[in-house]
Amino acid sequence: QPVDGGINTAAVHGRKGRVAGIHGLEKRLGLVAADFPDKDELRPLPHRSFVFPLDLSPDEARTYYLRVASAGGIIVPLSLAPEEVWRQRENDENYILMMFYGGLIAIAFYNLFLFFFTRDRNYVYYVLYILGGGLSTASLNGLAFQYLWPQSPWWSNVFLPCIIALTCMFSALFGRSFLNTRENTQRL
């Protein structure tokens, strides 16, 4: 059933992997049911998730099939919304993401500034932890794939576990250095 006068945009969210076949959309988008080597074919709309426009009239019913494959982990929540609702939701999400990443960058620069004046290595570990956490989050929500390596789904699959491991390592180094555990803890 149509919602709010008809749905004409479908958002298919999948941040990891390749869409291997979309049957029913080939004519509208010019896609084939195979691997998509070109970034523009993989993502017909420039977005951090897979977003496909659908032309549906208010009383029209269609069946679409979606096959998703990935070499790594994959999350595929699907949503279908009128274009106006989808755009408003995207604007709201982008505003929140801007504030989040802007805050992370501000905290990182502030602590880097403190390091240059105090030469306390705690600040370096903290900056690396903040940057690692920001890159992990950007990789999880698709912004890293969209802006940093749009042509490399392979690197996207490899990058996330690596940056999470590095973030955990920098967190441990920061905690160890900040708490000065070498001098403040007893040996077992």
Side-chain angles (χ1 to χ4, degrees):
Q1 294 294 329
V3 178
D4 296 334
I7 294 175
N8 57 9
T9 300
V12 180
H13 301 282
R15 290 167 179 75
K16 295 268 188 206
R18 299 172 296 172
V19 177
I22 303 171
H23 306 284
L25 292 177
E26 294 91 354
K27 187 173 183 183
R28 168 72 172 87
L29 299 174
L31 304 177
V32 294
D35 291 343
F36 304 120
D38 185 21
K39 179 189 112 186
D40 295 331
E41 290 178 4
L42 181 61
R43 296 180 186 234
L45 297 175
H47 191 266
R48 66 182 185 273
S49 299
F50 294 102
V51 178
F52 300 95
L54 299 177
D55 289 330
L56 298 174
S57 62
D59 296 325
E60 185 178 9
R62 284 192 186 171
T63 301
Y64 294 96
Y65 298 97
L66 177 67
R67 181 177 156 221
V68 180
S70 174
I74 189 165
I75 300 170
V76 188
L78 302 175
S79 66
L80 189 63
E83 185 173 358
E84 303 80 32
V85 172
W86 180 79
R87 289 198 187 281
Q88 182 61 45
R89 186 173 48 206
E90 285 303 306
N91 286 338
D92 294 344
E93 285 180 19
N94 287 338
Y95 179 72
I96 291 169
L97 288 173
M98 270 191 322
M99 290 186 348
F100 175 74
Y101 289 111
L104 285 182
I105 291 169
I107 291 169
F109 274 123
Y110 174 72
N111 283 281
L112 194 59
F113 179 75
L114 289 175
F115 166 73
F116 286 133
F117 284 101
T118 65
R119 295 294 180 203
D120 184 355
R121 69 180 157 177
N122 290 329
Y123 294 113
V124 172
Y125 293 143
Y126 188 62
V127 166
L128 292 172
Y129 165 68
I130 291 294
L131 293 177
L135 285 171
S136 298
T137 307
S139 184
L140 283 170
N141 68 23
L143 288 173
F145 182 77
Q146 182 181 7
Y147 293 112
L148 300 178
W149 43 82
Q151 298 288 351
S152 183
W154 172 85
W155 176 244
S156 186
N157 282 333
V158 170
F159 179 76
L160 184 60
C162 293
I163 195 65
I164 288 174
L166 285 173
T167 302
C168 290
M169 182 186 74
F170 292 135
S171 172
L173 287 172
F174 170 70
R176 181 179 172 196
S177 176
F178 182 74
L179 297 173
N180 198 12
T181 56
R182 283 192 180 166
E183 296 177 11
N184 294 332
T185 57
Q186 297 176 355
R187 297 210 181 242
L188 297 177

